[in-house]
Amino acid sequence: LPALPRLRFVRERLVRESDLSQIATAPSVSYIARLETGESVEFHNPSEMPEVQKIEHIEEPMLRISVLLPAEYTGTVMDLAQTRRGEMVRMEYLSPERIELVYRIPLAEVVTDFVDALKSRTKGYASLDYEPDGYAIGALVRLDILLNSEPVDAFSSVIHRDKAQNHGRALTEKLRELIRIPTVSHAEEAATDPGPFEEFIAALADAFPLLHEQLTLHRILDHSLLFHWKGSSGADPGALMAQSDG
C-alpha cells in the first residue's frame, strides 16, 4: 500500500482493536543554519531556527533517488521530480519499455507525499530507491501561521521561498473555513520572508480575484511580510489594500 493509505489503515486498527487515539504530526527534517558569525546551528523544527538577521544561509539535507518506471510514464514522473525541486542526474533506458531516472532532490520534498504521488502518476508501476546525498544551500524561509495575530508553533514550517506564498494562502484559507464563526471577528495570517516586495505584491494582485475578503499586506521590519485575511462587514469584497510599514 502507498504510505498515506497504510497510515490510515494502521490508525483505524489501533482505534478499533486497542481503543488508542493517535496524534499524527508532519515528519521533520534537520537543517543547518550558517550564521554570519561563522557558527553553525542545526535545528529540527521552525521554533529552533535562528533569527533571520543572523543567518548567512541555510543548508538542507538531500537525497539521491532512483526511479524505475515504464517508459510511458516518463513525462509525468519528470514533472513530479522537477515540481519537488529535483535536479536530474541521469536518465537511462534499461529496455525499450523501462527507464531509470536518477534525481538529486531535497529530503523535505520526499518525506511527505512524494511516494503516493509517484504511485498515483504511474498507476503503481514505479519503484523508488534512495540514499542520503549530503547537504545543499536552499532558499528557505520560516512560515508562521498566526491566529488573531498570535503565532501558532504547531502550524509553523520551514519551506522554500518560491512555495511560501501558495502554501501560506492555502493554510489560511483552510483555517478560515474550519473556524469560521459568523458573529465573531477572527483573522488568520501567514508570515514569511518575502523576497522582492514588488514581485510579491504583483503575484498576490494576480491571484486576488479568487479571494472573497479584504486582503492587507503588512511589511514586518525589513525581512518579512504578513498575509492578513480579515473578515469584514459591509466592506467591498473586491477591494485590495496593500500597505508597507517600512
Side-chain angles (χ1 to χ4, degrees), residues 7-204:
L7 173 62
R8 290 192 292 268
F9 177 73
V10 171
R11 293 181 64 180
E12 290 174 0
R13 286 198 59 185
L14 287 173
V15 172
R16 183 174 63 252
E17 299 176 9
S18 304
D19 195 25
L20 295 176
S21 59
Q22 311 85 41
I23 299 176
T25 60
S28 61
V29 175
S30 297
Y31 298 93
I32 298 177
R34 306 292 183 182
L35 307 184
E36 294 182 350
T37 60
E39 300 178 77
S40 299
V41 177
E42 183 176 359
F43 62 96
H44 305 273
N45 60 68
S47 63
E48 300 174 353
M49 182 175 172
E51 296 179 12
V52 67
Q53 302 96 324
K54 300 179 181 180
I55 298 176
E56 180 178 329
H57 64 261
I58 298 177
E59 299 177 5
E60 58 182 333
M62 305 292 291
L63 292 179
R64 186 183 182 94
I65 64 171
S66 174
V67 183
L68 299 178
L69 68 152
E72 61 187 287
Y73 301 114
T74 303
T76 186
V77 172
M78 290 177 65
D79 177 70
L80 173 63
Q82 292 168 4
T83 301
R84 302 302 179 91
R85 300 191 287 129
E87 299 178 358
M88 179 178 284
V89 177
R90 187 179 74 252
M91 180 175 70
E92 180 179 350
Y93 277 85
L94 304 178
S95 71
E97 295 80 24
R98 293 194 64 80
I99 288 181
E100 180 185 24
L101 295 176
V102 179
Y103 275 85
R104 191 168 190 252
I105 190 170
L107 173 60
E109 300 285 354
V110 177
V111 295
T112 50
D113 62 345
F114 183 85
V115 174
D116 292 275
L118 178 65
K119 294 293 186 181
S120 175
R121 291 186 180 221
T122 61
K123 299 181 180 179
Y125 287 109
S127 61
L128 173 70
D129 190 18
Y130 62 90
E131 61 182 16
D133 195 23
Y135 281 74
I137 297 175
L140 303 175
V141 295
R142 171 175 167 171
L143 179 69
D144 289 323
I145 301 299
L146 290 76
L147 297 180
N148 288 329
S149 301
E150 294 294 329
V152 181
D153 289 342
F155 293 141
S156 297
S157 61
V158 177
I159 191 171
H160 193 271
R161 185 193 302 275
D162 293 343
K163 297 186 176 183
Q165 174 189 343
N166 291 334
H167 188 68
R169 182 188 292 119
L171 281 176
T172 53
E173 289 181 345
K174 185 63 176 180
L175 285 171
R176 188 169 59 221
E177 294 174 3
L178 294 176
I179 66 176
R180 177 180 294 279
I181 304 177
T183 59
V184 179
S185 175
H186 64 277
E188 301 84 23
E189 305 161 354
T192 184
D193 182 355
F197 184 69
E198 294 77 13
E199 295 179 8
F200 215 68
I201 292 294
L204 287 176

Side-chain angles (χ1 to χ4, degrees), residues 208 212-216 228-232 235-237 239 241:
F208 183 72
H212 303 290
E213 297 184 347
Q214 286 182 313
L215 167 66
T216 305
H228 189 179
W229 285 271
K230 189 171 185 179
S232 57
D236 178 9
M241 297 187 297

